[in-house]
Structure formats: C-alpha cells, structure tokens
Amino acid sequence: MSVQDSTFHGFANPVDPSPAELRAWAYHPDSVPLTSMPPDWDLLVSGDHLVQTLFELAMDPACPARRFALHCLYIYAADGIRTNFRAHPKRRFRKLVEQSERTGDEMMRTWAHNSRVLLARPHLFDYRDWCEGGLVRENRRIG
C-alpha cells in the first residue's frame, strides 16, 4: 500500500512534522485542514528538513496539496536568497532549481525562473508574492 492509498490520521507534532507525515497529509489534505494548523504553518514547514519532500510533492501533478508544496518552495527560495544563503544552503537550492528546469512542468519551471530572477535581482522581492502565495495563485513569471 502506498502513502497515497492510506488514510492520514494527523501529525504527532504539527509544528515539526516528519517527511512521511507531510507526504501522507499532502495526499489527504482534507483529513487535517490547513485552517486547523498552527499559525504560519507554511513558514514552519518551509525549511531544509522538509524541502526535498515539499519539492517531490510540488513536482507531482496528482498531489492534492501540490499548490501548498509549491507555495512552501517559494518561501524557501525567498528565505535563502534574502539571507544570502545563511538560512538555507545555496547548493541545495540550485539543485532544486536545476531539476525543476530539467524535468518540471510549467508550474515548476515558472518557480525555477522566478527563483533565478530573484537571485539576480533580490530587490524584486515582494512579501505578498513570495510568502503569501501570490506567485502560486497567479502562476506568473516575474521579470
């Protein structure tokens, strides 16, 4: 039985979910609605510990929580770039961007493009776009 086939019953610690818990929730997001999560849960889970899991979920067009995972990748990218990669390793970030460019669909290639633009021009950072989901909702490229 795959994670996608099982039922998700909740997080042991929603402030610090495991990759397996996050993956299970992402395929059954209605089992624990986002509205019941701690405040700023998206910011809490957008770190190095879960970024690979978030990336895999965002790359899966069949994942019901794909847009949430992509939103978290935008937060991760902005956090790394704006802290000059003191918050997150630049190498990991670059690998995710390159993989998105190589094998991602249009949504993921847009994330990679926007991340590269922000890397080159950090002054284009807009909190609403990067941390409140604006770029995910609009799926637009910044220039």
Side-chain angles (χ1 to χ4, degrees), residues 15-141:
V15 174
D16 187 24
S18 71
E21 286 176 326
L22 185 63
R23 186 174 288 107
W25 169 80
Y27 287 96
H28 300 281
D30 294 336
S31 61
V32 181
L34 279 174
T35 55
S36 71
M37 295 302 198
D40 298 322
W41 191 63
D42 53 349
L43 301 176
L44 293 172
V45 300
S46 297
D48 290 320
H49 174 62
L50 295 171
V51 72
Q52 188 61 45
T53 302
L54 291 164
F55 183 78
E56 291 164 8
L57 296 169
M59 288 286 279
D60 181 1
C63 178
R66 180 183 192 204
R67 290 169 54 87
F68 175 80
L70 181 59
H71 165 62
C72 291
L73 289 179
Y74 272 103
I75 293 170
Y76 181 85
D79 194 31
I81 293 166
R82 294 188 71 235
T83 63
N84 199 26
F85 295 98
R86 287 185 300 277
H88 308 297
K90 189 173 191 176
R91 183 171 177 232
R92 178 178 292 148
F93 165 75
R94 285 193 183 271
K95 283 184 175 186
L96 297 174
V97 168
E98 290 167 2
Q99 187 175 346
S100 293
E101 291 168 336
R102 278 193 319 274
T103 61
D105 64 6
E106 185 58 30
M107 281 178 61
M108 292 304 292
R109 287 192 306 272
T110 297
W111 172 77
H113 166 84
N114 290 342
S115 295
R116 286 195 184 272
V117 170
L118 188 65
L119 183 61
R121 296 184 288 182
H123 67 278
L124 292 179
F125 173 79
D126 177 83
Y127 189 86
R128 184 192 148 289
D129 282 345
W130 289 84
C131 299
E132 292 181 347
L135 290 171
V136 175
R137 282 188 301 277
E138 298 165 13
N139 193 36
R140 68 178 166 83
R141 290 178 174 243

